[in-house]
Amino acid sequence: MKVPQAGVIAAVIGLSLTASACGGADDKGPLSVGIKFDQPGVGMREPDGTFTGFDVDVATYIAKELGYPKDKIVFKEVLSNDRELLIEYNEVDIVAASYSINDKRKQKVDFAGPYFLAHQDLMVRADDPTITKAEDLNNPNKRLCSVTGSTSAENVRKNLAPKASLLQLDGYSECVVALKEGLVDALTTDNSILAGYTARKGNEGKFRLIGLSLSSENYGIGMKKGSGELQVKINNAIRKMVEDGTWEAAVKKNFGPDYKYEAAPAITTGS
C-alpha cells in the first residue's frame, strides 16, 4: 500500500525525535587512553585491576572535560617504543604515559600540553656508595638499565655514560628487578617515575635517587596527527586543572610530600 507523503514525513520526524531523545553525549563510545601499567605514582595497574598515578588522574580530568565520565574511559597499556604506532593505528584515542614532547615525535603525532616537567635522574641501590654522579657510570664494568624507546636511553647513549654497558628492557619494573638483584648498577629515567618506585610499598629504604637534572622532560598528551580541535580542548582542560588546584593536589598525592616538583609548565602546543 502506498504511504501518503505526509505519513512518510511524520515517520521521519518521529524517528528523528526518538534518536535525539536516546542520543547525545551519553551514547558516544568510550575514550581509549594509553597509559603505563608499571610506573607507580605515574601510571600503574594495581593488583585489584584499578589504575593509579598522576597520568591517570590527568587523563581522567581531561576525559571529564571532554564529556566522558569514569565509566566511559578504557585504559590500555602502552610501552615506550609503541606509543606512536598505537596512536597512528587508532588503537588509542590519546596517550598519557610520561610521554615527553620532542621534535622527532611531533613528526608523527600531535601533543597537547605540556602538563608536567620532569628531569632525568639516576636511581641506585641505597647501600651502593660508588655512584654519586653520572660520570661514575662511565666505564665498561658499570651496567645501566633503561627502557627501549625512551628519551632517557637515547640521552644515555649520546651524553651520559657512553662507556657504560647499557641494558634496555621493555618496562621500568624489569629494570627495578635487575637493580634489586644486582644485575645492573643504576636505572635512569625521569625523576617522577623513579620517585614512584622508591616510595612504592616494599621498596622503602632499598633505593635512592642521585638528585641529578640530566635533561628536562615536558610530558604531553599524545594524539593523532591533525587533531586540531581535540588538541585545543585538551589544552583548555589542562589549564583548568591547574587553575582549580586539582593539578597540584594530584602531584602531592602521587609523588609524596618529599618530591620536589616544579610549577606546571606553560602550554606550548596548539592554540
Side-chain angles (χ1 to χ4, degrees), residues 186-197:
L187 160 61
T188 187
T189 186
D190 303 344
N191 54 3
S192 56
I193 298 169
L194 298 176
Y197 278 113

Side-chain angles (χ1 to χ4, degrees), residues 80 120 143-157 160 165-172 174-175 184 186-190:
S80 292
Q120 185 179 352
R143 299 201 75 193
L144 180 64
C145 195
S146 193
V147 169
T148 305
S150 71
T151 54
S152 297
E154 294 177 16
N155 192 30
V156 166
R157 204 182 262 119
L160 179 58
S165 299
L166 178 61
L167 175 64
Q168 295 188 70
L169 299 176
D170 287 336
Y172 293 105
E174 296 172 38
C175 279
V184 296
L187 160 61
T188 187
T189 186
D190 303 344

Side-chain angles (χ1 to χ4, degrees), residues 124-225:
V124 299
R125 289 181 294 278
D127 60 357
D128 182 358
T130 66
I131 302 171
T132 59
K133 57 186 183 299
E135 291 75 12
D136 292 335
L137 290 167
N138 198 30
N139 77 70
N141 296 321
K142 292 293 186 182
R143 299 201 75 193
L144 180 64
C145 195
S146 193
V147 169
T148 305
S150 71
T151 54
S152 297
E154 294 177 16
N155 192 30
V156 166
R157 204 182 262 119
K158 293 177 182 177
N159 309 310
L160 179 58
K163 293 181 181 178
S165 299
L166 178 61
L167 175 64
Q168 295 188 70
L169 299 176
D170 287 336
Y172 293 105
S173 291
E174 296 172 38
C175 279
V176 172
V177 172
L179 181 60
K180 188 181 296 185
E181 295 181 353
L183 300 177
V184 296
D185 300 291
L187 160 61
T188 187
T189 186
D190 303 344
N191 54 3
S192 56
I193 298 169
L194 298 176
Y197 278 113
T198 59
R200 185 75 171 168
K201 187 175 181 181
N203 286 344
E204 301 96 328
K206 293 183 179 179
F207 306 108
R208 62 183 174 88
L209 271 61
I210 301 298
L212 307 175
S213 293
L214 301 172
S215 69
S216 293
E217 307 296 337
N218 283 293
Y219 292 174
I221 304 295
M223 67 200 77
K224 202 171 182 69
K225 199 76 176 167

